[in-house]
């Protein structure tokens, strides 16, 4: 059961860490991949317990600055010991797996992903501190089955950035302001900010985030890591504090495309608690999994579209980014890709419009958020709040803690004012479907494209409204060392192609470098 004194537990665990004296001095935790870790396990250079201690030491050292982690799991070392025991038994029985798996690998989960253990699940808000979930989230159940160690909960933009438009990205009441490890004065982007910050700064081997519109792709781009936003329903949303079932998805944020792919392999699949979406999407899961698409020649013959207006127009006044993307286009062609330039997506101005009053996407979000959140809260075994109205009231009563005066909660209030899915919402839903079908899908099919390339996270709304997948890969660093990414987006179920493209690009460019902390 999650307890309210989690911060005290956090500090006690970190202060009690002893140094891993048996650790092979040649092993380097910094930038270690899943494959590196599994090889070290197999060669007796490292144990899961030692690895957990190392990450906890890193959290103790850097988290007071970065604010990437809200809680660490008091049972993480116990889970690590169990993983070490399993490994020893497997070695004795010659049952060691060849493919890199997650057994014994620590993972941080965004704090809107439920765990049925001593960790809280709060979306960064004090309103849910001490609440008790009925079960592990669907993706957490799969991670445990794969042997992953739940290291703790990563910070986030509170309520997945859906409380207000005034709160800065990376801020939540429980965790404070998350910081970009490459430049502390720069935006870490949200809402899966803590997940991206933590894995970028080597506070964990791997992390999970969630995305409604940009919440994996944006922090991945801004923190020089790899984020996969899966096709809607490919991963279960059961047990995840929701915004909208029309767009919500769960995906990995890691330092490499390979690691993100191994995590994706572990979390996809049908879940009876998210039956409609996962049943519809399971047809996309390839036999043999996704790791088979980690190919060095993955760009060969791929047709990649470029939409200049408005996406590449956004970076015209940033010469460094503009030059870097021209070089990336050259690299893509050199590796065998065919670039189809200057494409137009119908209704693109309306899709990416910043006018909130005219946003069909927001209309759907507001109505579905109230319905979905109320349903989630009612299913909790124990909770200080049972409805969105209760959360609004809690925030008003605890305005200082939740910084209501400074950051407001106007999205909550607007959502509470909705009354289900009516004519207005149905019209908005129909328009989003029409824009996707007659826009992105039509362009992809007419030009026989495998993916569309966009700079940073700018393509996120196009992908969000249609439930399409995207992968962000490090693409460079501009003013004052701030990272930026390249995004490859495709039609539903095209993760195999996107992984081929992203992996081949990553291997050809090798752009990622750790922050100088």
């Amino acid at each position: 059961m999650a307890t309210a004194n989690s911060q005290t537990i956090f500090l006690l665990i970190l202060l009690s860490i002893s140094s891993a004296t048996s650790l092979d001095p040649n092993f380097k935790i910094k930038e270690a991949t899943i494959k590196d870790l599994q090889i070290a396990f197999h060669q007796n250079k490292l144990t899961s317990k030692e690895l957990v201690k190392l990450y906890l030491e890193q959290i103790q050292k850097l988290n007071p600055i970065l604010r990437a982690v809200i809680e660490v799991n008091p049972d993480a070392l116990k889970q690590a010991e169990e993983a070490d025991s399993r490994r020893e038994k497997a070695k004795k029985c010659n049952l060691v797996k060849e493919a890199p798996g997650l057994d014994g690998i620590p993972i941080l989960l965004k704090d809107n992903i439920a765990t049925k253990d001593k960790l809280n699940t709060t979306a960064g808000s004090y309103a849910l501190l001490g609440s008790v979930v009925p079960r592990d989230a669907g993706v957490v159940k799969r991670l445990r089955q794969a042997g992953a160690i739940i290291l703790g909960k990563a910070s986030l933009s509170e309520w997945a950035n859906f409380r207000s438009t005034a709160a800065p990205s990376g801020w939540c009441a429980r965790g404070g302001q998350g910081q970009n490890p490459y430049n502390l004065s720069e935006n870490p982007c949200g809402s899966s900010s803590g997940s991206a910050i933590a894995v970028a700064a080597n506070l964990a081997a791997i992390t999970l985030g969630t995305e409604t519109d940009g919440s994996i792709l944006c922090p991945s781009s801004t923190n020089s890591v790899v984020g996969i936003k899966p096709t809607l329903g490919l991963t279960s949303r059961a047990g995840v504090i929701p915004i909208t079932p029309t767009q919500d998805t769960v995906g990995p944020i890691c330092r490499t495309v390979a690691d993100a792919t191994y995590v994706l392999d572990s979390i996809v699949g049908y879940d009876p608690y998210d039956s409609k979406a996962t049943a519809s999407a399971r047809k996309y899961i390839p036999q043999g999994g996704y790791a088979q698409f980690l190919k060095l020649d993955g760009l060969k013959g791929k047709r990649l579209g470029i939409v200049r207006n408005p996406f590449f127009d956004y970076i015209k006044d940033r010469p460094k980014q503009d030059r870097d993307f021209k070089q990336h286009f050259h690299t893509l062609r050199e590796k065998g890709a065919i670039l189809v330039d200057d494409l137009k997506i119908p209704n693109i101005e309306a899709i990416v419009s910043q006018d909130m009053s005219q946003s069909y996407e927001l209309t759907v979000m507001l109505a579905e958020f109230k319905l979905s959140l109320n349903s989630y809260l009612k299913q909790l075994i124990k909770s200080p709040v049972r409805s969105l109205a209760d959360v609004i009231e809690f925030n008003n009563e605890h305005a200082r803690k939740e910084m209501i005066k400074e950051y407001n909660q106007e999205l909550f209030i607007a959502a509470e004012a909705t009354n289900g899915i009516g004519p207005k919402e149905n019209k908005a839903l129909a328009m989003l479907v029409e824009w996707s079908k007659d826009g992105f899908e039509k362009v992809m099919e007419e030009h026989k494209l495998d993916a569309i390339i966009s700079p940073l996270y700018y393509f996120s709304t196009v992908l969000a409204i249609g439930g399409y997948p995207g992968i962000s890969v490090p693409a460079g660093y501009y003013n004052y060392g701030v990272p930026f990414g390249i995004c490859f987006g495709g039609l539903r179920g095209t993760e195999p192609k996107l992984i081929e493209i992203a992996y081949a690009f990553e291997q050809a460019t090798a752009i990622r470098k750790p922050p100088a902390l």
Side-chain angles (χ1 to χ4, degrees), residues 41 133 185 189 225 232 243 245 270 300 324 410 425 451 465 478:
F41 290 157
V133 300
S185 66
C189 207
V225 289
L232 187 81
I243 293 180
Y270 175 75
K300 191 174 182 180
D324 283 354
E410 82 278 4
E425 290 75 21
I465 65 171
Y478 63 109

Side-chain angles (χ1 to χ4, degrees), residues 37-192:
L37 296 172
Q38 293 294 2
I39 290 171
F41 290 157
H42 182 65
Q43 295 178 348
N44 296 319
K45 293 180 179 179
L46 179 70
T47 67
S48 292
K49 186 175 182 179
E50 288 167 342
L51 183 61
V52 167
K53 284 183 177 181
L54 285 167
Y55 282 129
L56 290 175
E57 287 171 357
Q58 285 294 98
I59 293 169
Q60 181 186 23
K61 179 181 177 182
L62 296 176
N63 200 61
I65 300 166
L66 298 178
R67 297 288 183 180
V69 182
I70 292 181
E71 295 183 37
V72 293
N73 188 356
D75 291 330
L77 288 171
K78 180 184 175 184
Q79 290 180 24
E81 289 171 351
E82 291 169 354
D84 290 333
S85 178
R86 284 196 303 272
R87 192 177 305 111
E88 284 305 309
K89 289 179 182 176
K91 284 179 182 177
K92 289 175 183 178
C93 300
N94 292 317
L95 296 175
V96 179
K97 296 179 181 178
E98 291 183 11
L102 300 189
D103 194 21
I105 304 294
I107 182 169
L108 283 170
L109 307 171
K110 186 177 178 180
D111 184 42
N112 61 348
I113 301 173
T115 53
K116 183 67 172 173
D117 54 18
K118 295 173 184 174
L119 290 164
N120 284 280
T121 304
T122 69
S125 169
Y126 284 107
L128 281 174
L129 189 60
S131 61
V132 180
V133 300
R135 65 190 71 86
D136 280 335
V139 290
V140 175
K141 181 181 178 182
R142 289 183 176 275
L143 288 169
R144 293 196 199 276
Q145 289 171 345
I149 297 163
I150 308 302
L151 184 62
K153 293 294 180 75
S155 189
L156 71 164
S157 302
E158 190 175 299
W159 292 102
N161 220 8
F162 203 68
R163 193 187 89 179
S164 77
T165 57
S169 281
W171 177 86
C172 66
R174 289 192 62 215
Q177 179 60 57
Q179 303 287 353
N180 188 314
Y182 290 87
N183 187 321
L184 299 178
S185 66
E186 289 293 326
N187 185 349
C189 207
S191 67
S192 303

Side-chain angles (χ1 to χ4, degrees), residues 362-487:
L362 183 62
T363 296
V364 174
M365 283 184 181
L366 291 171
E368 291 193 341
F369 176 68
K370 179 181 178 181
L371 295 171
S372 302
L373 183 65
N374 285 349
S375 176
Y376 173 89
L377 295 174
K378 286 173 184 175
Q379 292 176 47
L380 294 175
I381 292 172
K382 175 185 173 184
S383 177
V385 290
R386 291 291 182 182
S387 67
L388 175 57
D390 289 349
V391 177
I392 293 170
E393 184 179 354
F394 177 95
N395 288 340
N396 288 331
E397 291 176 356
H398 301 84
R400 188 173 177 182
K401 264 186 174 182
E402 289 289 338
M403 299 187 72
I404 294 300
K405 183 178 179 181
E406 295 84 353
Y407 298 148
N408 211 324
Q409 54 177 334
E410 82 278 4
L411 291 178
F412 276 9
I413 293 167
E416 179 59 26
T418 63
N419 190 29
I421 306 299
K424 179 182 175 183
E425 290 75 21
N426 280 321
K427 178 186 176 183
L429 284 163
M431 285 304 299
L432 296 179
V433 171
E434 182 180 322
W435 282 349
S436 295
K437 185 177 179 181
D438 295 340
F440 180 57
E441 290 185 16
K442 187 175 182 181
V443 169
M444 291 289 289
E445 289 162 5
E446 282 186 352
H447 297 276
K448 297 180 173 58
L449 300 176
D450 296 294
I452 280 183
I453 310 165
S454 74
L456 291 75
Y457 53 90
Y458 297 148
F459 208 56
S460 68
T461 300
V462 176
L463 301 177
I465 65 171
Y468 308 115
I471 302 182
S472 180
V473 182
Y477 304 85
Y478 63 109
N479 297 346
Y480 309 106
V482 179
F484 61 90
I486 184 171
C487 179

Side-chain angles (χ1 to χ4, degrees), residues 269-281:
Y270 175 75
D271 184 351
Y273 294 104
D274 188 13
S275 58
K276 184 177 179 181
T278 55
S280 176

